[in-house]
Amino acid sequence: MLNIIICCAACLLMIAAVLFLPKLKLGKLKLDTYWIPVLLGAALILCCGQANVTAIGKALIADTAVNPLKILVLFLSMTVLSVFLDELGFFSYLAAFALKHSHKGQKRLFFSLYFVVALLTVFTSNDVIVLSFTPFICYFAKDAKIDPLPYLAAEFVAANTWSMALVIGNPTNIYLATAYGVDFVSYLTVSILPTVAAGGVSLFLLWLLFRKKLSAPVEGCAEQVAISDKLSLGIGVAHISVCTVMLAISSYTGIEMWLVALCAAGSLFLCSLIISACRRQKPRTLFKCVKRTPWLLVPFLLSMFVMTEALSEQGTTAAIGKFLGRDLAVLKYGGMSFLGSNLINNIPMSVFLSSMIKSANAGAGAMYATVIGSNLGAFFTPIGALAGLMWSSILAEHDIKFGYRDFLKLGVIVAVPSLAAAIGTLYAVLLI
């Protein structure tokens, strides 16, 4: 019972932290606070003897796909590859290119942005796209003298919908797929149709929601973005392209995904260092990559792993999984993941549900439904995902008002129907 109280308190304090004290300033250093309550909760569980330290230690070094250290390496390595391209201006350049060829009509701007974000999210991750595109949209809308909200909503919804397509699109995808032993290609064959269904529904509803605002003319012009280091850009694109292909065939080559991503990131760092040495320059792009990499995800995920192990040892997750049963597992786990993500954030919710799925032997359908809920839940409320918290923070910095009610309105109108479309399509896919 004590471990349940500690876990619930840690999650509630995490929510309070992101709502009332999202940043902690220590001199010139600013830190996110979401991980601190979770870390303290895990430490308290260990100190109170509510978890087997030896068992947790063995799990951390176990040669299994669900090893949290492997998942962290995979996610952080893919983030490094994406951030490297962003630092070189690749994503901003593509966005500017799409906007430039939209002939200044807001309708074309809107659809162009949505499709560019969707495409880039598939091959990178939702968090990277949100961090890259949100400031660009804010500046562009100001220069073009147009309302930024339709474009910001389109970007955020597209990033958190199309992140379902590949296993690398979201940390929750990585965790759940590896926990259930699903490889890159097998995941894609099931996830692609629900993703397309949710993407189509979300785009249509966004268009209905903002069609009047998009009728206004564009009075300004798009920002001009130039790539100054084309050599480094070519190397970065080559690395992320080869890495994505190798991830796709990893189940056939026998090379684990975390090792593929780590080698790609290591190779990119080495190539960039060589280029900087030849030019007699400091590797500033690498320094910025290291700085922007979400290292705080490490204590957060490991702490959640400790708490999940504690609940599993006490039989809590097994009891909940047994209560849920196997009937209508897709609907139950999809709904629970969607709503639960907006109570304790999608990453811890995915960690908890993965244990329940195993305990109840609920099947692969429950895992895919949990993936869907964890992604689409990100744009139901700001608490749904770290991407939502980052997005809201950036908007506040640019004096763009988009409060909790506005977020919830977007979620009710767009996220709920998108969830229904994705879950319904998943049912059809699993029946084929």
Side-chain angles (χ1 to χ4, degrees), residues 78-95 120 124-137 155 225-229 232-233 236-237 240 268 284-286 288-289 291-293 394:
M78 291 303 300
T79 300
V80 165
L81 295 175
S82 300
V83 170
F84 183 85
L85 293 178
D86 179 46
E87 285 296 332
L88 294 172
F90 181 62
F91 298 135
S92 295
Y93 175 81
L94 290 181
L120 292 176
T124 54
S125 75
N126 59 338
D127 293 331
V128 170
I129 295 301
V130 168
L131 285 173
S132 305
F133 272 72
T134 305
F136 172 80
I137 293 172
E155 169 228 13
V225 179
I227 303 296
S228 59
D229 191 350
S232 295
L233 177 64
V237 171
I240 199 169
L268 179 63
R284 291 186 175 86
T285 302
L286 292 184
K288 291 179 180 178
C289 280
K291 185 178 180 180
R292 286 183 57 186
T293 300
I394 295 172

Side-chain angles (χ1 to χ4, degrees), residues 15-58:
I15 295 174
V18 298
L19 288 177
F20 303 111
L21 187 64
K23 296 283 186 180
L24 186 63
K25 189 174 182 180
L26 300 174
K28 294 183 179 180
L29 182 65
K30 289 185 178 181
L31 292 176
D32 292 317
T33 59
Y34 67 88
W35 59 279
I36 298 176
V38 181
L39 178 62
L40 293 175
L44 187 58
I45 282 177
L46 293 175
C47 291
C48 293
Q50 294 296 305
N52 189 322
V53 178
T54 303
I56 291 175
K58 289 182 179 179

Side-chain angles (χ1 to χ4, degrees), residues 14 32 35 78 95 109-110 125 129 175 185 188 208-209 244 301 354 381 386 405 411 416 426:
M14 180 192 70
D32 292 317
W35 59 279
M78 291 303 300
L109 287 176
F110 178 81
S125 75
I129 295 301
Y175 188 89
V185 175
L188 176 61
L208 290 180
L209 184 62
T244 301
L301 184 58
S354 66
T381 72
L386 297 179
R405 290 185 179 180
V416 175
L426 177 61

Side-chain angles (χ1 to χ4, degrees), residues 48 86 106 195 305 327:
C48 293
D86 179 46
Q106 282 215 60
T195 302
F305 177 76
D327 296 334

Side-chain angles (χ1 to χ4, degrees), residues 166-391:
L166 297 185
V167 70
I168 59 176
N170 194 317
T172 61
N173 303 1
I174 297 171
Y175 188 89
L176 290 163
T178 51
Y180 213 81
V182 177
D183 61 68
F184 191 99
V185 175
S186 298
Y187 176 92
L188 176 61
T189 56
V190 176
S191 67
I192 187 62
L193 289 180
T195 302
V196 171
V201 169
S202 66
L203 178 58
F204 176 70
L205 293 174
L206 284 168
W207 166 246
L208 290 180
L209 184 62
F210 294 112
R211 66 187 185 280
K212 291 183 178 180
K213 291 185 177 182
L214 294 173
S215 299
V218 179
E219 299 179 5
C221 59
E223 177 186 349
Q224 296 297 318
V225 179
I227 303 296
S228 59
D229 191 350
K230 294 182 179 180
L231 175 60
S232 295
L233 177 64
I235 291 174
V237 171
H239 274 78
I240 199 169
S241 300
V242 172
C243 181
T244 301
V245 172
M246 290 300 295
L247 288 173
I249 62 174
S250 62
S251 59
Y252 302 101
T253 61
I255 305 175
E256 294 187 71
M257 289 195 294
W258 71 271
L259 186 57
V260 171
L262 179 62
C263 289
S267 174
L268 179 63
F269 261 64
L270 181 60
C271 290
S272 185
L273 287 173
I274 293 174
I275 292 174
S276 298
C278 292
R279 293 174 175 174
R280 297 182 180 179
Q281 298 175 342
K282 293 182 179 179
R284 291 186 175 86
T285 302
L286 292 184
F287 291 154
K288 291 179 180 178
C289 280
V290 172
K291 185 178 180 180
R292 286 183 57 186
T293 300
W295 300 110
L296 293 179
L297 189 62
V298 175
F300 177 76
L301 184 58
L302 293 181
S303 298
M304 289 304 310
F305 177 76
V306 170
M307 291 197 293
T308 303
E309 284 293 305
L311 291 174
S312 180
E313 288 177 14
Q314 299 293 331
T316 304
T317 53
I320 298 175
K322 185 178 180 180
F323 173 77
L324 291 174
R326 300 180 61 181
D327 296 334
L328 300 175
V330 169
L331 183 60
K332 289 178 181 177
Y333 282 92
M336 179 177 281
S337 176
F338 181 83
L339 295 175
S341 294
N342 290 280
L343 293 175
I344 62 171
N345 193 265
N346 62 351
I347 293 180
M349 175 52 63
S350 298
V351 174
F352 285 125
L353 288 189
S354 66
S355 298
M356 295 180 196
I357 293 170
K358 285 185 176 181
S359 299
N361 194 22
M367 184 276 292
Y368 285 109
T370 304
V371 168
I372 290 172
S374 69
N375 282 263
L376 299 183
F379 55 93
F380 186 61
T381 72
I383 302 174
L386 297 179
L389 300 171
M390 293 187 294
W391 188 73

